[in-house]
Each structure stands twice: as structure tokens, then as C-alpha cells.
Amino acid sequence: MKIKSFDEYKQVYQQSVEQPEQFWAGIADNFLWRKKWDKVLDWNFKEPNIKWFQGAKLNITENCLDRHLETLGDKPAIIWEPNDPQENHRILTYRQLHDKVCEFANVLKNNGAKKGDRICIYMPMVPELAIAVLACARIGAIHSVVFGGFSAQSIADRINDAACNIVITADGGYRGTKEIPLKSIIDDALVQCPSIQRVIVLTRSRTPVSMIKGRDVWWEDEIKKVETQGNTACTAEEMDAEDMLFILYTSGSTGKPKGVVHTCGGYMVYTGYTFANAFQYNQGEVYFCTADIGWITGHSYIAYGPLSQGATTVLFEGIPSWPTPGRFWDIVEKYKVNILYTAPTAIRSLMSFGDEALQGKDFSSLKKLGSVGEPINEEAWHWFDEKIGHKQCPIVDTWWQTETGGFMISPIAGVTPTKPGYATLPLPGVQPVLVDENGKIIEGNGVSGNLCIRFPWPGMLRTTYGDHNRCRTTYFATYENLYFTGDGCLRDEDGYYRITGRVDDVLNVSGHRIGTAEVENAINMHSSVVESAVVGYPHDIKGQGIYAFVVCPKHHADDDLTRKDIMMTVSRIIGAIAKPDKIQFVTGLPKTRSGKIMRRILRKIAEGDTSNLGDTSTLLDPAVVEEIKAGAL
Ligand code: WTA
């Protein structure tokens, strides 16, 4: 399954385009199936209707756990590093992880979970989070993990959208010096969630929590029950390749976040294949992905991808800057990490602490580096290359999305020649195209356009939960017969791809996807706000910051206090990650005569570039632009 040279890459790539079904069948043969497929692929991008490996039967956890037991049973599957370096770390071998997943799968069954149920997981980065995810997959329940930084309202929206019946959470979680009262946030959410019958609560911080009779149970008590019943083995549920594996909510340019749906067979094949190739994982290597399991990167490249390949994956509970800005490097040294996969925003933030944080750290175990989440600027790329990789480690800049399930355009470590700031070339099986505004495919090199994919790949989303039409209109209706990514992209003279950022109204703040419409809706909930417009602006550390123009005529005399109130409103409605960095009060927004907000103008002002605002003559009230320019922050 692993490509070993650039020549081989070119040849395999060609084959994957000419005979995609044969290519993917060959990759899929590397996995464990209860029954093989009748048909490799059935598809159209019109509805869309995408089916991979139809008729095949499997359980992804047998691929991630059972099949490794004989040869890798005593090898570490998960190395857990706690938030506080004084606390003991934990290592779970493949056998231990297998046993714990089976036990907890039985806990889920004892609590009424069945195949097809939706289960919401809101947990800190502890091994039990991975155990909970895998236990759902073991019994065929569909997990919906919600990142620990989302508010009660956001959780409630997600639970209700999927009508989840169980929540798995913890009393609290740690991030740096902060303690997050997870159960209490869940309690606030559940006031609005009639479908929830059971809440399973892990003990982590032992912060006081309310446990409601008949609804809430402790994780540890439930495990004991399973043990005393002698009910610790759990045969994996047989799943169809196209059965749902999980839902993960992500932001788009309009309305509420949508539930991206991934299915068992294709997602397994795709995450395993891309992990093995891009990182050229070799048995025995220690792999550390710094993402959170609450995002797609954690799903695909902390949990499923590495585990299906029998890798050792490091799970870190804390943050890069606590207790010192050298924390990542301490972890690299402590576990002799060979592969480090992180995000440009983390790199830039660690750069800002200067070289002192690197002093005396041992980077010698590192062999390969990776980056994900946003375009990596050249300065950060070089720093990563020189200071962390000591020019000895290839950097794989992996471009992909929640919707793609796994890496799409990415170097293969040590195989693809890299170029700073470039995601380089598509992996075999991926067929990117650039299109102009009219959807015409742009051929040749040295060109820019909107990035689309013209042929299905096994890891792609199948639908958006409960609203297939939304999936069609968001991804498949902009350009006929193409999947539209929402990203702008350059293909240089060598045919190398460089992602230039979103071309829709989606922000990328510290690698987190946030819809401008979502933030505007939250700001508009504040009682004295009439309307608002949100745009992104370049931010040294976060990549993009959130700039809000707010019409708030009757606001409190104290601007700063009102700003804080608005921030608090956004925190409550979405979560702290969506708080605007800047709020400018304005008397009106620049609008066309038809009432459309001219974001182009606001974006320029937010960027501090007011020299050329373009044609403002079509505005309803051109004077407002002058006022906004004068008051810009
Ligand atoms: C951006 C995260 C440039 C892009 C895996 C995409 C990137 C969005 C890269 C998806 C990269 C991700 N270079 N841009 N290597 N990786 N992006 O769904 O705009 O959270 O559309 O998935 O992040 O974000 P998501």
C-alpha cells in the first residue's frame, strides 16, 4: 500500500486515474473484511449518490484492534500525556485498548444503545474519549463528537439535529490552567434535548456535578457492573460498508453547522491508506498528532487512521504553552516521537516565544513533520523545517477537509519533493481540478482558480445528516459534476498545488472553521444589536482574526462594556472560539440598493487597506463607508 519513490508515485497516480476502481480495490484488500464487496463504486455527483464497496461487511474496530492482537498485542496503541506533566502518563497496549473498548461497548449496550443510535460525545482529551468513540463503532452506534470548546447551545443544536439518545461526558476537563466544567455545560444543554435518555459521566477532575436519578450514571460504576456480570467480551457488530460510522458538525457559509456523514468502509480504507502513505509510517514509530479528537483531524489521524495501521499514537490532553512554551518539545523528548503532526497556528505561536523555548530540548528522534488546518506561511514553514526538523525531516503539508475524511493533496514523506507553502501533489486516487467563476476547467500550469474534485474517493462525505439537499447545494451544485471545496488554489509551473484560503464566507481562525453567518447570528442575539457583518482579517498567530462591524444604536454608554457583553453573547451561543477579536460600532453597513452587504469593502477596511475600495457608487449610502474607514480599529 506504501509508495516508495517519486517515480512509483507518478506511475501509481496515473493508474489510479485510468483505472480507479481497480486501484481502490487493491488498496481495500489491505483491510479486514467479514465479506468483500460486490461492486467497488457506484456514483453520481448530481444527487449526489456515492457508494463505495457495496455489499461488503466489516467492523472498523476489528481493523483498528482485533487484527493487531496477535502480532502487536503488547505494543502501545495509545500513549496518553496528561495536561499536568506532574501527573502520571498512561500507556494502553493494543490488547488493553481492545479490552477497554469491548468493556465500554457493553456498558453502552447495558444503557440501551443499539446499532444506528446516535451518541453525542463531549469529553476531554483522555484515553476514554478514544475508547468511547471506538466502543460506539464496535456496536454500530453513530458517534457525534462535539469539541470541548463549544457552548451548551451548540451542543443542544447538535444533539437535537441528530436526535441523539445518549451523551458520554466527564465531570470536567483540564486545559492549561483552566478547568472546564463539562458535565455542567451538558446539563445546561440537556434542558433543551428531550431525546436524551442517558448520560454517562467519566471521572476526571472530580469537580462537583449534579447527577440526575434515572438519567445520569458514572462511567466507573457501569464498568464495574460489566465486570461483575463477567460481560467483558464484545463481538463487533457486522456493518455494511455504507452504514454510517459518524457525524461531525462543521461550519459553512450559511446557517447552522451541518452534520457531515462518513460511512464505515470507505472512511476506513481512506484514512488508513492516507496515513500509511503521507507519513510513511513504519512499525515501531511513535506518532504525535497535536489536534483534538473533537475535530476531523483527531478522528482520522489520532484515532482511526493510525490505529488501523497498528501505529503508536500520542494523545495529549493539554495545550502547547503550558506550563511552559516548550511543552510539545518535552513530549517529543519524553516519548521519542518520530512523527509530529501539528498546525500552522501552533507553530506561529511557539515561534513567538523565541528560541529560548527550544534550548536544551532533544529533537533527535524526529523523522517526519506534518502540518494541517490552514495555508502555512513560508516563515512558519522554514522555522518548522530548521528549528524543529533540523533540515532532516520532510514536512508534509496536508490539505484536506472534514468533508474529505482524509488527506487529498499532500506530499508523501521522503518521496515527494516539497516546496514551502505548497501542499504539493494529489495523492493517488485524488483528481483535483481548478475552475474559473463560470465553472470552466482551467487546464495547464501557472494558473489559479477554485479547487474542485472531479472523481469520488472512498473517504468523501456521503450526505449531511437529515438534509441531503443541503449536501447537494453546498458541495455539488456550484459546478456541475464537480465536488466544490470552497478553497481557492494556485497550480504553479511545476503543477504543484498551493491552497490560498477559503473563497466563501468561512473563516479559518487558529485552524478552526467558523462561518461568518454563524457569528453574525450570535452577535445579533444581543438585545441592543440591530445588525452586524463579520469578516476575517490577517492575524499573526491565528491566521485569521474575526472583525465584527456592529450596528448598535442604543448601546450602553461604555463601549468597552458593550463589546464584552457582545463577546459573552457569542460565547454563550457558539463558544469562546468564535469570539470576535475586534468589534467596531458603526451607524450602518455598506449595502447595495438591493440590500446586500458589500463584504468586499468591509474586508478591505478590516485588512487596513483602504486605498482602493473599488466601485462604491452602487451603494445605498456611500457616506457610511467614510465613517467606517475613519473608525476602523
Ligand atoms: C483549510 C481540517 C491550506 C482549507 C483538516 C479547508 C488548509 C479547511 C490545509 C478545512 C492546508 C486545511 N493548507 N489550507 N494544509 N488544511 N485547510 O474541515 O481552507 O476543519 O477547506 O478540516 O481548512 O477545515 P476542516
Side-chain angles (χ1 to χ4, degrees):
M1 186 156 76
K2 270 189 335 202
I3 292 161
K4 287 291 176 198
S5 72
F6 198 42
D7 281 340
E8 188 188 350
Y9 161 78
K10 288 182 208 158
Q11 181 230 318
V12 174
Y13 186 81
Q14 195 58 31
Q15 185 225 336
S16 80
V17 173
E18 283 162 11
Q19 296 176 310
E21 297 193 23
Q22 203 179 322
F23 169 77
W24 285 114
I27 300 292
D29 272 335
N30 293 289
F31 293 81
L32 180 70
W33 304 86
R34 294 251 185 110
K35 172 182 173 287
K36 289 260 172 102
W37 47 92
D38 303 317
K39 196 169 178 206
V40 177
L41 171 64
D42 201 5
W43 71 288
N44 74 68
F45 277 177
K46 215 163 201 63
E47 297 171 60
N49 177 24
I50 293 121
K51 293 201 165 75
W52 282 95
F53 311 117
Q54 263 187 95
K57 306 274 184 198
L58 76 152
N59 187 292
I60 194 169
T61 68
E62 289 186 331
N63 281 269
C64 291
L65 303 169
D66 305 58
R67 73 161 165 165
H68 303 314
L69 293 183
E70 207 172 304
T71 50
L72 304 173
D74 296 324
K75 187 192 155 180
I78 293 178
I79 298 177
W80 177 69
E81 170 71 8
N83 178 59
D84 183 346
Q86 303 300 322
E87 190 181 339
N88 288 336
H89 70 275
R90 284 167 64 191
I91 293 179
L92 293 179
T93 64
Y94 270 95
R95 193 177 318 284
Q96 288 166 331
L97 182 62
H98 169 271
D99 295 352
K100 285 190 181 291
V101 167
C102 289
E103 264 184 6
F104 192 68
N106 287 329
V107 165
L108 289 175
K109 284 191 197 164
N110 278 351
N111 282 279
K114 301 178 308 298
K115 177 175 180 172
D117 285 355
R118 277 81 54 216
I119 296 183
C120 174
I121 302 179
Y122 186 68
M123 290 180 79
M125 280 283 284
V126 292
E128 285 73 14
L129 167 52
I131 292 166
V133 162
L134 292 165
C136 287
R138 187 93 180 160
I139 65 166
I142 299 159
H143 55 79
S144 166
V145 182
V146 178
F147 173 63
F150 280 113
S151 68
Q153 182 64 50
S154 292
I155 301 166
D157 291 344
R158 285 158 173 75
I159 288 176
N160 290 337
D161 186 72
C164 297
N165 57 350
I166 296 177
V167 178
I168 308 170
T169 188
D171 45 4
Y174 303 113
R175 282 175 68 77
T177 53
K178 288 201 196 111
E179 194 183 315
I180 298 133
L182 297 166
K183 172 63 164 64
S184 159
I185 298 170
I186 286 292
D187 287 337
D188 287 344
L190 294 192
V191 174
Q192 306 180 48
C193 301
S195 59
I196 294 295
Q197 322 235 310
R198 189 66 86 237
V199 182
I200 302 175
V201 186
L202 176 81
T203 304
R204 173 66 188 125
S205 59
R206 216 40 213 104
T207 188
V209 292
S210 75
M211 294 292 285
I212 304 295
K213 193 181 290 165
R215 190 193 72 181
D216 302 351
V217 295
W218 289 106
W219 175 298
E220 297 77 12
D221 291 348
E222 296 304 298
I223 292 284
K224 267 197 211 106
K225 276 188 213 160
V226 166
E227 279 167 354
T228 46
Q229 288 161 3
N231 181 23
T232 51
C234 176
T235 314
E237 189 76 30
E238 184 165 286
M239 307 296 285
D240 283 336
E242 281 298 334
D243 279 340
M244 274 187 213
L245 175 63
F246 67 85
I247 307 170
L248 185 60
Y249 285 83
T250 190
S251 293
S253 49
T254 51
K256 292 208 161 165
K258 46 195 172 296
V260 168
V261 170
H262 285 288
T263 57
C264 298
Y267 177 82
M268 170 182 78
V269 169
Y270 200 69
T271 51
Y273 156 75
T274 49
F275 174 78
N277 266 293
F279 290 119
Q280 292 285 298
Y281 183 81
N282 298 313
Q283 255 327 310
E285 286 180 331
V286 177
Y287 162 82
F288 176 23
C289 167
T290 69
D292 191 291
I293 293 188
W295 306 107
I296 192 68
T297 305
H299 282 61
S300 301
Y301 299 111
I302 294 178
Y304 290 114
L307 295 176
S308 83
Q309 300 309 298
T312 297
T313 172
V314 176
L315 203 139
F316 173 42
E317 186 184 31
I319 57 172
S321 55
W322 190 82
T324 70
R327 188 67 194 278
F328 277 180
W329 324 130
D330 292 339
I331 298 173
V332 166
E333 193 172 323
K334 183 168 175 187
Y335 303 114
K336 304 206 168 17
V337 170
N338 304 113
I339 308 173
L340 174 67
Y341 186 36
T342 190
T345 184
I347 297 171
R348 286 190 301 266
S349 134
L350 295 171
M351 269 168 79
S352 74
F353 292 108
D355 286 355
E356 272 155 67
L358 308 176
Q359 228 100 79
K361 311 286 181 200
D362 183 0
F363 295 97
S364 61
S365 58
L366 286 175
K367 293 191 219 157
K368 295 157 244 183
L369 301 174
S371 167
V372 60
E374 60 180 301
I376 179 164
N377 48 310
E378 290 193 24
E379 195 192 352
W381 196 97
H382 286 295
W383 185 85
F384 202 32
D385 183 38
E386 286 159 27
K387 304 284 178 168
I388 308 305
H390 294 92
K391 296 208 157 215
Q392 304 293 314
C393 305
I395 298 179
V396 296
D397 177 1
T398 60
W399 173 81
W400 60 297
Q401 309 178 297
T402 304
E403 294 85 344
T404 70
F407 307 152
M408 299 290 281
I409 303 180
S410 165
I412 295 175
V415 168
T416 317
T418 58
K419 210 184 262 194
Y422 282 77
T424 73
L425 298 170
L427 291 173
V430 176
Q431 300 187 31
V433 290
L434 301 185
V435 299
D436 66 16
E437 243 105 271
N438 306 315
K440 198 169 160 304
I441 292 182
I442 308 168
E443 307 280 356
N445 289 340
V447 293
S448 297
N450 288 345
L451 178 61
C452 294
I453 314 290
R454 73 163 140 210
F455 196 85
W457 64 100
M460 71 186 298
L461 87 163
R462 301 298 193 265
T463 188
T464 46
Y465 193 83
D467 191 353
H468 192 63
N469 194 42
R470 190 156 176 212
C471 173
R472 188 182 63 78
T473 54
T474 310
Y475 306 106
F476 299 93
T478 319
Y479 305 111
E480 206 177 328
N481 283 323
L482 297 175
Y483 164 83
F484 177 43
T485 64
D487 279 318
C489 182
L490 166 90
R491 185 168 55 223
D492 76 358
E493 296 300 340
D494 300 328
Y496 269 41
Y497 290 83
R498 178 189 188 125
I499 311 301
T500 47
R502 302 288 304 196
V503 293
D504 52 8
D505 289 320
V506 173
L507 306 178
N508 190 325
V509 181
S510 301
H512 301 156
R513 255 168 87 168
I514 298 171
T516 52
E518 239 181 296
V519 182
E520 287 164 8
N521 290 342
I523 293 175
N524 296 349
M525 304 271 286
H526 182 78
S527 60
S528 34
V529 171
V530 175
E531 65 175 336
S532 62
V534 164
V535 297
Y537 71 96
H539 187 288
D540 284 349
I541 306 278
K542 297 181 177 184
Q544 270 189 313
I546 303 180
Y547 196 126
F549 298 89
V550 180
V551 182
C552 190
K554 287 186 301 205
H555 72 263
H556 203 284
D558 184 339
D559 274 9
D560 261 350
L561 199 53
T562 310
R563 281 199 185 93
K564 285 184 186 147
D565 289 346
I566 291 173
M567 302 260 198
M568 185 56 99
T569 313
V570 175
S571 279
R572 281 254 181 253
I573 303 296
I574 306 176
I577 54 170
K579 276 199 291 199
D581 298 275
K582 294 182 180 180
I583 296 177
Q584 181 182 348
F585 293 113
V586 296
T587 57
L589 296 169
K591 287 186 182 168
T592 61
R593 293 200 179 89
S594 59
K596 204 169 158 261
I597 297 173
M598 298 275 281
R599 283 168 193 284
R600 178 178 53 81
I601 293 176
L602 294 176
R603 244 178 254 130
K604 286 241 164 195
I605 295 175
E607 284 165 13
D609 171 17
T610 52
S611 55
N612 178 19
L613 290 182
D615 184 12
T616 54
S617 64
T618 56
L619 289 181
L620 195 58
D621 177 12
V624 83
V625 174
E626 293 309 314
E627 177 216 306
I628 297 176
K629 259 164 69 175
L633 301 167

